[in-house]
Amino acid sequence: MKKTIPALPVQNIEESVKFYSKKLGFTTPYYDDGFAKMVRDEIEIHLWASSDETWRNKGLVLVADPICSGAESFLAGTASCRIEVQGIDELYEEYKKQGVIYDAETVVEEQPWGDREFPALDHHRNLLTFYEEI
């Protein structure tokens, strides 16, 4: 194996491309209505449209006909990934200014497994944990 690329569910690709570009500093080599490829330095993240709203109209029929498209809108914000970086403190300060840090109490923390890390959230609340090995 050589590489892994996180694929995160988002409700609106165009909105997400703007967020990842303006707030997180990624570029967008490709996107359409259902998919976006986001890149920053050596990191690549894929965003996929989790925008199926048909589940909202199922009501009691949901028991007999369960949700099954795999792209339901409620999936946006349920994913997470870990991203290794260099310069964790500088990235933390950048993202703090952008307002994407998990919450006001978030700091870069040393972990017993040998890294320093901090969590951030995208606009759908997908969790992005940035870490640097000690």
Side-chain angles (χ1 to χ4, degrees):
M1 293 185 222
K2 291 178 65 175
K3 184 178 181 179
T4 185
I5 299 171
L8 306 175
V10 297
Q11 289 181 353
N12 182 298
I13 294 293
E14 187 172 345
E15 213 177 81
S16 299
V17 164
K18 287 178 187 171
F19 179 88
Y20 275 77
S21 298
K22 292 179 181 175
K23 297 283 189 173
L24 299 178
F26 282 76
T27 60
T28 315
Y30 175 84
Y31 86 95
D32 59 32
D33 290 343
F35 174 81
K37 178 179 177 177
M38 308 302 299
V39 175
R40 179 170 174 172
D41 302 322
E42 300 298 315
I43 298 304
E44 185 173 325
I45 295 176
H46 292 177
L47 306 175
W48 57 275
S50 177
S51 55
D52 181 353
E53 292 284 328
T54 59
W55 63 274
R56 291 186 184 274
N57 301 322
K58 288 196 173 220
L60 293 176
V61 178
L62 187 60
V63 174
D65 185 18
I67 298 168
C68 61
S69 78
E72 288 80 17
S73 59
F74 59 78
L75 293 174
T78 63
S80 67
C81 66
R82 295 178 55 79
I83 301 169
E84 185 176 6
V85 302
Q86 285 183 311
I88 191 86
D89 296 306
E90 294 82 4
L91 187 65
Y92 171 81
E93 290 301 324
E94 176 187 337
Y95 284 176
K96 187 174 182 179
K97 287 176 188 170
Q98 291 295 341
V100 297
I101 301 299
Y102 187 78
D103 64 35
E105 306 297 317
T106 297
V107 295
V108 178
E109 292 186 281
E110 189 170 315
Q111 300 298 336
W113 48 85
D115 68 36
R116 296 178 66 235
E117 64 184 50
F118 71 89
L121 296 172
D122 75 8
H123 63 302
H124 288 299
R125 299 193 60 80
N126 287 308
L127 176 64
L128 309 170
T129 302
F130 297 91
Y131 73 94
E132 182 172 40
E133 291 186 3
I134 297 173

